[in-house]
Amino acid sequence: MSSRHDISPATPAKVVCFVLPSDRGHFNYTIHVARTLSQRGYDIEYFAPASAAAYAPDFASFTALTDPEDDRFDRYTRLCCSLWSHGDTADEANAHFEKHHNSSVAEEFAKEGGLQGLSGLQGIREKLIGMKERVLRPDVALVVYDAAHMYKWMGKHCKLRGVPTLALYPSPYYLHRPDEEGEWDPDNLEGHEPKYPVVRKDTEAVPHPALYTLFPPLVAGCSIPSGRRLVGPVFPPGDVVPPGQEEAMVRSGLRKWMRSAESPIVYVSFGSMIKSGSGTAFDAAQRLIGALTKGDWR
């Protein structure tokens, strides 16, 4: 990719920047990709809300876009997931969201001023500008970003200025509801910003692939938009359990429980929506767990 750079041929493009939300389901799986790139000689830089620093990989540098004490991003995404977990269809979930969003935000962010408390949610203005400037430097070979979440606008910023990107879609939602796909521009970048340069002469020749990291049966019958590909879930190389997860299994007692009997184990993941304690996902979990406990399995 460095051969495409027109600013400074003497500067090798050996940095890959990851721009991601702090939600673990959108962040953690990218570490496997980043580790492989690091092993191939690339320097890795992560940009995300501050809470992600706790689980960002130690082989990469990390830039917090929010203040370390600012937990609003995570609180807001949890609130939205809780609201969207109601109903049996997307239309019902969206209707519930629209009906209860403002009042829920007012309650959750009462100390911050309600809806006004969401201002600057994606990061400190200076940090966001710094990120936009960083990806335009000649040592950047690629920007990887989440195209199903708030920082999708970074893809447009890079595309307009000739920076190669890789868009990742870890959610099937917009394949089922393509008309709802959009962007969430930060509200604190309005007004004067630096003049961002175009870093490659032929911006049309710069690659911008998009990948769906999804289990194929989840999108059966969906049309994959032109220029995008379905590649399947991302797993650790060699199908090994990452050391951190292995340690957690032992420390929590889960490994001991798994080996305490010979009966088969049924594993079901409900995702973060189960934390809401209400809604369709929570109700389904209760019914499913009740049914499973009546069988010869654990």
Side-chain angles (χ1 to χ4, degrees):
M1 292 183 184
S2 59
S3 64
R4 289 183 178 272
H5 216 293
D6 300 314
I7 293 181
S8 176
T11 303
K14 297 293 289 182
V15 175
V16 177
C17 296
F18 286 75
V19 181
L20 302 170
S22 49
D23 308 46
R24 285 179 177 267
H26 292 256
F27 189 100
N28 284 358
Y29 79 98
T30 70
I31 296 175
H32 305 313
V33 179
R35 179 176 286 108
T36 298
L37 291 170
S38 176
Q39 292 170 347
R40 293 180 181 180
Y42 288 93
D43 295 327
I44 308 299
E45 299 181 9
Y46 271 86
F47 296 81
S51 60
Y55 37 90
D58 56 10
F59 58 81
S61 68
F62 180 83
T63 297
L65 299 174
T66 60
D67 188 274
E69 285 73 41
D70 184 358
D71 63 353
R72 294 176 303 145
F73 189 97
D74 295 327
R75 287 163 58 199
Y76 183 65
T77 55
R78 283 197 297 267
L79 181 150
C80 289
C81 284
S82 176
L83 292 175
W84 274 315
S85 70
H86 290 260
D88 294 325
T89 66
D91 287 334
E92 291 177 4
N94 287 336
H96 183 88
F97 180 92
E98 292 297 329
K99 181 178 180 180
H100 297 282
H101 175 266
N102 288 0
S103 60
S104 298
V105 169
E107 180 180 355
E108 173 66 31
F109 295 94
K111 293 182 179 180
E112 292 91 348
L115 288 171
Q116 289 73 29
L118 297 181
S119 179
L121 186 72
Q122 297 191 41
I124 301 168
R125 174 182 167 86
E126 291 74 19
K127 291 291 188 71
L128 296 177
I129 290 175
M131 175 175 65
K132 294 175 74 172
E133 292 178 324
R134 172 67 187 103
V135 299
L136 302 180
R137 294 177 189 167
D139 61 338
V140 174
L142 178 69
V143 173
V144 181
Y145 68 96
D146 190 305
H149 215 297
M150 290 193 196
Y151 296 103
K152 181 181 179 180
W153 54 269
M154 275 297 290
K156 180 173 62 178
H157 170 73
C158 294
K159 185 174 183 179
L160 289 174
R161 292 162 182 87
V163 180
T165 64
L166 173 61
L168 298 177
Y169 286 85
S171 168
Y173 184 80
Y174 295 122
L175 283 177
H176 293 281
R177 313 276 291 199
D179 293 341
E180 296 181 24
E181 185 171 350
E183 295 184 5
W184 302 268
D185 292 332
D187 62 358
N188 57 345
L189 288 183
E190 297 176 357
H192 178 71
E193 283 190 67
K195 184 176 181 180
Y196 302 108
V198 175
V199 299
R200 286 170 176 80
K201 294 176 181 177
D202 186 3
T203 58
E204 294 298 321
V206 177
H208 301 286
L211 306 178
Y212 292 92
T213 57
L214 305 169
F215 186 47
L218 292 177
V219 294
C222 293
S223 176
I224 305 297
S226 176
R228 304 178 186 181
R229 286 196 297 143
L230 174 63
V231 296
V234 175
F235 293 105
D239 292 330
V240 299
V241 179
Q245 293 183 16
E246 183 74 29
E247 293 168 5
M249 289 181 68
V250 173
R251 187 170 58 251
S252 67
L254 180 60
R255 173 58 59 81
K256 182 179 180 180
W257 174 81
M258 292 172 64
R259 294 178 175 176
S260 65
E262 295 296 325
S263 55
I265 295 171
V266 178
Y267 172 78
V268 183
S269 175
F270 294 100
S272 59
M273 287 185 177
I274 201 67
K275 295 180 180 179
S276 67
S278 63
T280 302
F282 185 78
D283 294 339
Q286 287 188 309
R287 294 197 303 270
L288 184 57
I289 291 173
L292 290 174
T293 56
K294 298 176 182 178
D296 297 326
W297 44 70
R298 295 180 288 156

